Amino acid sequence: MKARVHVMLKDGVLDPQGAAVKHALGALGFEGVEGVRQGKVIELDLAEGTTEAQVGEMCEKLLANTVIESYRIEMP
């Protein structure tokens, strides 16, 4: 079984990587990009029976810095 965890900086937290991507897109001639937030996707191969609550605990303890990041779990 697979799970995906999407981790993003919380609103209000500065995102220098997102700002760099926005600047680079403008330098390449891509107009109309008003903002960029950079995040990460973590794919987990899980044993059958692993619950979303268990994945949430993994996020809280290791996969996301919950002080500045939020996460969203996708499981089948």
Side-chain angles (χ1 to χ4, degrees), residues 3-66:
R4 280 196 179 120
V5 178
H6 300 265
V7 181
M8 296 291 294
L9 289 172
K10 291 181 177 178
D11 290 338
V13 176
L14 294 178
D15 185 355
Q17 288 179 311
V21 170
K22 180 182 178 290
H23 176 75
L25 288 170
L28 291 170
F30 295 101
E31 298 178 17
V33 178
E34 296 180 356
V36 176
R37 302 288 288 173
Q38 175 132 352
K40 59 188 171 190
V41 176
I42 302 166
E43 288 193 355
L44 302 169
D45 290 321
L46 303 169
E48 285 298 321
T50 303
T51 65
E52 188 169 336
Q54 290 172 307
V55 176
E57 188 175 352
M58 294 175 198
C59 293
E60 295 287 329
K61 291 186 175 184
L62 176 68
L63 301 179
N65 177 350
T66 57

